[in-house]
Amino acid sequence: MGPAFVYAATRTPFGRFNGALAGVRPDDLAAAALRGVLAKVPGLDPADIGDVVWGNANGAGEDNRNVGRMAVLLAGLPVTIPAATVNRLCGSSLDAAMAASRTVESGDADVVVAGGVESMTRAPWVLPKPSRAFPAGDVTAVSTTLGWRLVNPRMPKEWTVSLGEANEQLQEKFSISRERQDAFAARSHALADAAWAAGFYDDLVTPVEGAGLARDEGIRPGSTPEVLAGLKPAFRPDGTITAGNASPLSDGASALVLGSERAADRLGAPLARVAGRGAAALEPQAFGYAPVEAANQALRRAGIGWDDVGAVELNEAFAVQSLACVDAWGIDPEIVNVKGGAIALGHPLGASGGRVLGTLAHVLRERGERWGVAAICIGVGQGLAVVLENVSAA
C-alpha cells in the first residue's frame, strides 16, 4: 500500500469535427497515444504493465468491443497485457486515471496505463431494433456524436434537455453575461496559441502518423471578444451560448503512465503524486456545475484548501459552466487553464480528462507550484476532480 504517481503524459493533437483526424479510426488514435506515452518511459518493459484502463464515451462504432484492449493490441504491446474500457461520458479518461491510481495504491499493480479516446467525427448513426419482425413503418437513424439519444420515455423532460439548453439554464441561474463568456473564450484561444508558440506542447503532444496535423486544429488566434460577439446564439434565439464560447466537436486521444514509488527505477522521476479524488452528481441538467463539489471533495481528501492551489485545469465544455465553477470556488481566474482550454483545444469526450490531468502535471512543474486541481463536468449531471502534488515542489 502506498501513493500513486503520474510519471508520464501525452495526447494526440485534437482535430476538429470532420477535420484532419477524420480519416483515423478511434482505435488507431488510442494506439497512437498509448505508443506515445510509453516512448516517454523507455526504461519500462511493456510486459511489466499491470493493467490498462481506457476511457471512451460513445462506443457505438469502431470504438466498440473494449477499445482499451484494441489499443493494446494495435500498439504492439504483449498480448498478456489486460485492458478495460470505462464510460463516464466526458469524464471517462479522468475516471480511468482515478481507477489506475487506486490500483497502484492498493498494491495490485506497480504500473498502470490510463487514457481515453473519442472520434466524434466517426461516431455512427444507430438504428434501434424493432420489437417485432418486419415492421412496415419508417425507422429513424440516431446520431451517436453527442448528447441524449434513444431516451427512455420515463425520464423527466427537464432532465433530458440538450446540453446547450442546460447551460442556458445555468446562465440564467448565475447571471453570467454573454460578454464574460466571450471574453473567457477569447482568452482560451489566445493562451492556447501562445502555449504552442512557446513550445509548451511540443513534448506533451504525440503526432498521429499520416494525419498531417502538427497542433490542435481548433485554435483561432484571431478570436477576440469583439469577433465572438458577432456570432448568433446556438440554442435559444435570445440566448448567450454560441459556437464561439462552447467547445467544438473533436477527435483525439490522451494517455498517462501511473505507478508506485518503487516503479521509479523503471519509469524515472515522477511528475506528480495523486493526492485526492472526488466525484459528485446533481440533477442531469445541472451537469456543468457538478465539478464544484467534486473538486471540493478532492481537496478535502488531499488535506488542503483552495488557498493552497496554484493551478487549475478545468475542462471548458462551455464558457458559462466554467465561469460558474470558478466563481463558486472563489479562486483567481488567472490560475485556470493557463495553456488554453477545451474551447480552443477541443473536447473529444473520452480523451479530455486525460488531457486536463496531463496538462496540469506539466503546468505545476513549469510554474513551480505545489498543488493543482484537474476537474471536468460530465453529461447527465456528474463531475470528477483530481488533486495533484508536484513532487519536485513538495
Side-chain angles (χ1 to χ4, degrees):
M1 303 288 286
F5 297 87
V6 177
Y7 280 90
T10 195
R11 64 177 178 86
T12 69
F14 286 175
R16 290 186 67 88
F17 186 83
N18 203 27
L21 298 181
V24 184
R25 288 174 57 112
D27 46 4
D28 285 326
L29 284 174
L34 184 52
R35 286 192 297 267
V37 81
L38 293 179
K40 294 180 177 296
V41 285
L44 175 68
D45 181 348
D48 289 341
I49 297 171
D51 205 357
V52 173
V53 189
W54 212 256
N56 180 241
N58 285 331
E62 296 158 334
D63 46 6
N64 74 92
R65 297 286 292 172
N66 188 359
V67 70
R69 174 64 174 168
M70 300 304 163
V72 166
L73 298 175
L74 290 167
L77 271 63
V79 296
T80 54
I81 305 304
T85 299
V86 299
N87 183 351
R88 206 191 287 247
L89 300 181
C90 305
S92 295
S93 53
L94 192 58
D95 205 13
M98 292 165 73
S101 67
R102 294 186 190 102
T103 299
V104 171
E105 290 172 358
S106 71
D108 285 350
D110 267 346
V111 180
V112 181
V113 178
V117 67
E118 210 74 53
S119 175
M120 301 179 79
T121 297
R122 298 175 74 91
W125 296 283
V126 297
L127 291 174
K129 285 188 175 179
S131 57
R132 59 184 177 83
F134 312 117
D138 296 334
V139 179
T140 300
V142 178
S143 173
T144 65
T145 299
L146 180 69
W148 293 86
R149 77 281 312 240
L150 304 176
V151 180
N152 190 314
R154 295 178 55 241
M155 286 282 186
K157 296 295 185 185
E158 63 269 22
W159 287 0
T160 62
V161 297
S162 72
L163 303 182
E165 170 58 26
N167 277 274
E168 288 287 9
Q169 293 177 18
L170 199 65
Q171 184 276 327
E172 288 181 327
K173 181 176 181 178
F174 293 105
S175 300
I176 297 172
S177 69
R178 166 76 183 269
E179 291 72 23
R180 282 191 72 196
Q181 294 177 56
D182 287 346
F184 184 86
R187 173 183 180 269
S188 184
H189 285 281
L191 291 176
D193 182 55
W196 271 104
F200 174 81
Y201 285 116
D202 291 352
D203 188 50
L204 193 53
V205 174
T206 294
V208 178
E209 186 176 352
L213 184 61
R215 73 176 203 164
D216 303 302
E217 197 172 11
I219 301 171
R220 297 290 182 264
S223 290
T224 65
E226 294 73 25
V227 169
L228 294 174
L231 299 178
K232 294 181 179 180
F235 302 101
R236 293 182 181 179
D238 59 346
T240 63
I241 299 173
T242 72
N245 59 35
S247 60
L249 304 179
S250 310
D251 308 328
S254 62
L256 307 108
V257 176
L258 292 96
S260 66
E261 190 168 17
R262 60 181 170 268
D265 62 342
R266 290 161 285 170
L267 301 176
L271 294 170
R273 178 178 69 91
V274 177
R277 296 173 291 257
L282 300 168
E283 298 86 353
Q285 70 273 28
F287 73 93
Y289 198 66
V292 172
E293 177 55 24
N296 290 340
Q297 283 182 17
L299 287 167
R300 288 194 295 270
R301 289 165 183 163
I304 62 170
W306 279 111
D307 288 345
D308 300 300
V309 173
V312 175
E313 283 292 320
L314 172 63
N315 192 59
E316 300 167 355
F318 295 83
V320 64
Q321 61 82 208
S322 300
L323 288 164
C325 292
V326 171
D327 290 351
W329 292 325
I331 58 176
D332 180 357
E334 293 305 310
I335 71 170
V336 179
N337 299 348
V338 297
K339 305 299 181 180
I343 289 173
L345 302 173
H347 179 22
L349 307 178
S352 288
R355 178 192 70 79
V356 296
L357 193 63
T359 302
L360 178 65
H362 282 263
V363 166
L364 289 173
R365 181 62 62 92
E366 180 192 69
R367 295 165 68 92
E369 298 286 352
R370 181 175 179 183
W371 300 102
V373 175
I376 194 165
C377 70
I378 301 165
V380 200
Q382 297 191 80
L384 290 178
V386 171
V387 172
L388 291 183
E389 180 186 23
N390 174 10
V391 292
S392 67

